[in-house]
Amino acid sequence: HVQLVESGGVSVQAGGTLRLSCEVSGDTSGTYCMGWFRQAPGKEREEVAGIEGDGSTNYVDFARDRFTISRDNAKNTAYLQIINLTPEDTGVYTCVAETWVGYCPDFFTYWGQGTQVTVS
């Protein structure tokens, strides 16, 4: 059984920086693909970034310049840092994970509860 617990969601002023954390608990014996989704008010959920078991990363177009995904395997934690925050970054950010099988499948089995980011 795997659980994802996000933290770091805050209310912040535009132009600021924040880092979200996602800790994997439960079965931490495996290696997981990790990722982040976000859902802005009134909009559909969208993928932001992912990081594979070998540390390679991928970003959707809007996230390439200001978002950085990383992981600390010793802490079973993934991070999402966002710089130069804008009000358009407001939303619920959700961490996801899937067992890494040498590559990341195109689905995620494990989802966190989400953490609210508000930029004003």
Side-chain angles (χ1 to χ4, degrees):
H1 182 64
V2 173
Q3 288 185 316
L4 306 178
V5 179
E6 302 105 331
S7 60
V10 293
S11 294
V12 63
Q13 289 188 335
T17 298
L18 64 78
R19 187 177 77 162
L20 306 177
S21 300
C22 173
E23 182 177 2
V24 180
S25 64
D27 182 5
T28 59
S29 62
T31 300
Y32 295 97
C33 308
M34 305 289 293
W36 289 91
F37 282 71
R38 75 177 185 183
Q39 186 167 19
K43 295 187 178 180
E44 293 189 356
R45 186 170 57 201
E46 59 185 350
E47 190 168 4
V48 177
I51 185 165
E52 303 212 3
D54 61 2
S56 58
T57 59
N58 58 84
Y59 299 89
V60 297
D61 286 345
F62 75 78
R64 293 185 189 282
D65 292 335
R66 298 186 297 112
F67 293 68
T68 302
I69 190 170
S70 61
R71 66 191 300 158
D72 183 336
N73 290 332
K75 296 181 178 180
N76 299 310
T77 300
Y79 305 95
L80 182 70
Q81 177 173 291
I82 314 171
I83 65 172
N84 296 330
L85 285 151
T86 73
E88 289 69 36
D89 294 320
T90 294
V92 176
Y93 286 71
T94 302
C95 176
V96 295
E98 180 53 51
T99 302
W100 189 58
V101 291
Y103 63 92
C104 288
D106 59 357
F107 60 87
F108 293 98
T109 298
Y110 307 107
W111 292 71
Q113 293 297 310
T115 185
Q116 176 70 44
V117 172
T118 303
V119 184
S120 59

